Amino acid sequence: MESALKTAFPFIVYLVAVLLAFQGVLMIVAYTVLAERKVLGWIQGRVGPNRVGPWGLLQPFADLLKFIFKEDLVPDKSTKFVYFLAPLVALTASLMPIVVYPFGPRIADPLGWLVPYVSGYGAFGEVVAWIAEQARNMPLTIARIDVGVLYVLSITSVGVYGVALAGWASNSKYSLMGGLRSSAQMISYELAMGAAVIGPVLLAGTLDLNGIILAQINSPFRWYIIPQFIAFVVFLISAFAETNRVPFDLPEAETELVAGFHTEYSALKFALFFMAEYVNMFTVSVMCTVLFLGGWYIPGLGRIFAPGSIPYAVISHFGFIAKVCFFLFLYIWVRGTLPRFRFDQLMNFGWKFLLPVAIANVVLTIIVVYFLSL
Amino acid sequence: MVGSILFYLFAGFAIACAAAMVWQKNPLYSAIALIGVFISLSLIYLTLAAPFIAVAQILVYAGAIMVLVVFVIMLLNLGDDDKSRKQRLGYLYGVGGGLGVILFLQTLFIFYAVLKSPAATNVSDKTSGRTISIGQTLFTQYLLPVEIVGVLLLMAIIGGVILSRRLDQPEIERLVEKELEIRKEEEKLEEPRISF
């Protein structure tokens, strides 16, 4: 019994970690929607939602309830299987990168302070001591895989199917055009995004997200936004295009395409697409933070608290969340400020400007890294 | 134990998807099934401790190539396969059956060879399958093949550009214009005269 529990322990820990991380990310995403409506309201001189709960804080839950209780319409001539599959693909592909996010630094001994208090309680004290022993050097990442950057890029590239299949399966002109536009846009800007990612990866010498953060801490610049500013700008612009946000929200240009690929979707299926879009925003914000803003690293914090201690980890974690939230705010800010591109402008900009700039940055970085390593 | 359960799960899913890909009449369903094959293959690579290959599999095949295939199918809007082709392509059953028998014999031979050979020594190198070792082998031991593949891909890109953009090639442009003129005249001839 005891050995079985000990074998099952890592799986239980992973299960709890996954649930916690998903819950946290989804809560941030839910409140991003509220923040978007509030901030857009302020930008346009309005108040924004303020009826549900104090200051409108319960609005996301009210929206969710509304989505659940709405009538679920399925177009008569749609291809049913693909029509049901598409929102699932979109949301799954957007949620899967969460497992590699580096939420914070390693904690050397997270539960060690508990052991003296419970050591007098026999078996219970022993169990706590054993768990505390297991929890030593606890990373604040669910899965630390060797190819974290590539993993995130590949999973988000699968997300194109959700949009493309939704457009095709709805059997509507607007949906099909929206789906085609969106997949063309995502394929085009994926190239610039991938080329922009190569810069920081070259400097860090690893594809592991935590490794990139550690390499930034050890580099003279602390944050890669300084030596890789071009890559940062290219990444940020293509991130807007990848997530179909203003000024690149052509798939749902309402004056031309009603609502683009999700025109025919209603109720909870529409909510899945909606959530997928905001989770994707969160993902690219995390990537931007990790690659260019040093992830959870706050300069100077190591002088106040010892690295590896609990307060250091907690403050670093909230620093990480704050940086991600800054990018989320940037999305909303840009949405309230800029008009939409035309489709040919979008394609020209992606292929003829962003991609060459990103490739030039890669070549430049390779030369610099080569001469520095001599 | 867990490893073999996962292997049978993913392998079964891969085979089911492959069978579905062949059986489906609708080309888009076939494409979706093929994506399923790629994803389950990459999961098998993951269980074999080769994360780079697994991620590259999804990134290249599922994320890039199949997106283009789905794109083309959507643009062409292909319907279900019509019945008349069944008669025309009947001889393919024989060819497919023959190839299937050969594949089955090959599988048997591989099983035989594996059972005959002494047990494989465990790879003690922990870094094998990781990004850094793959990169180092590619650019030292297999440098020439990598360069050849690179040149081949460059040729393919240039070929694609030339085929799709004929503006800089007056000869091809003239040919195409002539062809278009001929077609137009043919259409004029075939056009039924409407008279009231």
Side-chain angles (χ1 to χ4, degrees):
Chain A
M1 182 64 198
E2 199 185 323
S3 67
L5 274 180
K6 276 184 181 172
T7 332
F9 181 71
F11 294 99
I12 297 169
V13 169
Y14 275 121
L15 195 67
V16 172
V18 165
L19 285 178
L20 270 179
F22 275 55
Q23 192 56 40
V25 170
L26 287 179
M27 285 305 280
I28 292 178
V29 162
Y31 277 97
T32 311
V33 181
L34 178 67
E36 172 155 40
R37 295 175 64 182
K38 276 272 179 199
V39 174
L40 277 183
W42 295 335
I43 289 176
Q44 294 162 357
R46 297 185 281 115
V47 186
N50 62 351
R51 284 287 178 269
V52 192
W55 210 63
L57 277 179
L58 294 177
Q59 187 71 41
F61 301 101
D63 285 344
L64 183 68
L65 276 180
K66 189 183 126 190
F67 278 130
I68 291 173
F69 287 118
K70 276 237 170 180
E71 187 186 354
D72 191 19
L73 293 166
V74 178
D76 211 21
K77 289 271 178 68
S78 63
T79 316
K80 296 290 182 302
F81 174 66
V82 185
Y83 182 82
F84 282 97
L85 187 70
L88 299 182
V89 170
L91 188 65
T92 311
S94 65
L95 284 176
M96 270 178 72
I98 292 177
V99 293
V100 295
Y101 293 166
F103 286 107
R106 249 167 217 288
I107 310 177
D109 195 6
L111 294 175
W113 54 274
L114 256 177
V115 177
Y117 293 104
V118 294
S119 56
Y121 294 94
F124 176 67
E126 277 172 29
V127 169
V128 170
W130 185 78
I131 291 176
E133 187 61 37
Q134 297 296 309
R136 267 177 206 283
N137 268 326
M138 186 176 82
L140 287 183
T141 313
I142 298 171
R144 191 174 169 182
I145 57 173
D146 192 33
V147 286
V149 176
L150 278 185
Y151 172 81
V152 174
L153 285 181
S154 68
I155 298 294
T156 46
S157 73
V158 172
V160 181
Y161 290 117
V163 173
L165 293 181
W168 183 82
S170 304
N171 200 20
S172 140
K173 281 175 212 151
Y174 298 121
S175 298
L176 186 65
M177 288 307 296
L180 283 177
R181 269 190 183 189
S182 162
S183 31
Q185 174 181 334
M186 283 160 105
I187 295 168
S188 311
Y189 278 78
E190 231 162 52
L191 289 174
M193 198 180 207
V197 165
I198 295 176
V201 168
L202 272 172
L203 287 186
T206 174
L207 285 169
D208 176 17
L209 291 174
N210 254 315
I212 291 175
I213 294 174
L214 294 177
Q216 288 184 63
I217 296 172
N218 293 327
S219 77
F221 298 106
R222 298 291 187 257
W223 286 358
Y224 278 163
I225 186 173
I226 301 163
Q228 287 291 328
F229 189 71
I230 303 169
F232 172 72
V233 173
V234 171
F235 187 91
L236 201 61
I237 296 173
S238 28
F240 278 87
E242 276 292 292
T243 47
N244 296 331
R245 295 282 300 180
V246 178
F248 303 109
D249 65 336
L250 290 149
E252 33 196 310
E254 60 276 86
T255 44
E256 304 156 26
L257 291 175
V258 190
F261 60 90
H262 56 65
T263 306
E264 304 294 338
Y265 282 86
S266 58
L268 210 55
K269 291 202 205 64
F270 169 72
L272 293 187
F273 276 121
F274 194 64
M275 254 158 76
E277 182 184 327
Y278 281 84
V279 178
N280 275 334
M281 276 165 63
F282 188 83
T283 299
V284 289
S285 302
V286 166
M287 287 298 280
C288 222
T289 308
V290 169
L291 291 173
F292 299 104
L293 289 192
W296 41 259
Y297 175 65
I298 301 170
L301 191 65
R303 296 210 188 101
I304 306 169
F305 299 104
S309 63
I310 296 174
Y312 179 79
V314 170
I315 295 174
S316 295
H317 172 69
F318 281 106
F320 174 78
I321 298 292
K323 286 175 196 173
V324 173
C325 286
F326 166 72
F327 281 111
L328 291 175
F329 171 72
L330 195 69
Y331 271 102
I332 302 165
W333 190 8
V334 168
R335 178 173 175 185
T337 315
L338 291 181
R340 186 180 296 135
F341 270 64
R342 226 171 46 222
F343 195 65
D344 58 320
Q345 289 173 333
L346 169 97
M347 281 297 164
N348 280 342
F349 185 66
W351 286 101
K352 294 182 184 167
F353 178 73
L354 274 191
L355 188 60
V357 166
I359 290 175
N361 177 61
V362 168
V363 173
L364 198 71
T365 314
I366 288 174
I367 294 171
V368 170
V369 168
Y370 177 74
F371 280 109
L372 283 181
S373 66
L374 276 184
Chain B
M1 222 278 279
V2 178
S4 50
I5 290 175
L6 286 177
F7 172 76
Y8 284 117
L9 192 70
F10 299 145
F13 189 64
I15 292 171
C17 281
M21 191 203 90
V22 179
W23 278 114
Q24 283 297 335
K25 294 268 162 53
N26 191 324
L28 194 75
Y29 283 176
S30 290
I32 293 173
L34 191 57
I35 298 163
V37 174
F38 288 142
I39 289 175
S40 39
L41 274 187
S42 88
L43 291 172
I44 291 176
Y45 292 143
L46 265 189
T47 60
L48 294 174
F52 185 81
I53 309 279
V55 171
Q57 167 94 8
I58 292 188
L59 194 63
V60 174
Y61 288 101
I65 293 177
M66 286 315 289
V67 170
L68 290 180
V69 170
V70 168
F71 210 68
V72 169
I73 293 173
M74 279 166 58
L75 275 179
L76 293 180
N77 210 6
L78 296 173
D80 286 2
D81 208 351
D82 52 340
K83 297 280 191 302
S84 64
R85 279 182 66 191
K86 249 185 192 165
Q87 297 286 321
R88 227 156 20 92
L89 301 176
Y91 70 95
L92 280 179
Y93 285 108
V95 177
L99 286 175
V101 169
I102 293 175
L103 187 68
F104 184 67
L105 290 179
Q106 275 179 342
T107 319
L108 283 185
F109 175 74
I110 290 171
F111 269 114
Y112 172 75
V114 168
L115 289 178
K116 267 285 199 182
S117 64
T121 49
N122 257 337
V123 184
S124 58
D125 189 7
K126 287 267 183 197
T127 61
S128 67
R130 307 191 73 167
T131 321
I132 193 156
S133 61
I134 289 175
Q136 273 165 357
T137 6
L138 276 185
F139 285 101
T140 51
Q141 199 178 345
Y142 300 107
L143 183 59
L144 187 64
V146 168
E147 292 294 326
I148 291 174
V149 168
V151 171
L152 210 65
L153 285 175
L154 185 66
M155 280 160 63
I157 292 173
I158 294 173
V161 170
I162 286 177
L163 284 179
S164 61
R165 276 186 72 110
R166 41 174 196 260
L167 297 178
D168 304 333
Q169 286 197 313
E171 280 181 34
I172 295 182
E173 204 181 356
R174 228 175 288 144
L175 266 177
V176 171
E177 271 175 14
K178 208 187 262 176
E179 178 72 27
L180 283 177
E181 272 174 26
I182 293 171
R183 275 193 201 167
K184 226 181 231 172
E185 278 173 19
E186 279 175 355
E187 270 176 21
K188 261 183 201 165
L189 287 178
E190 284 171 9
E191 219 171 322
R193 299 274 151 77
I194 302 167
S195 51
F196 291 99

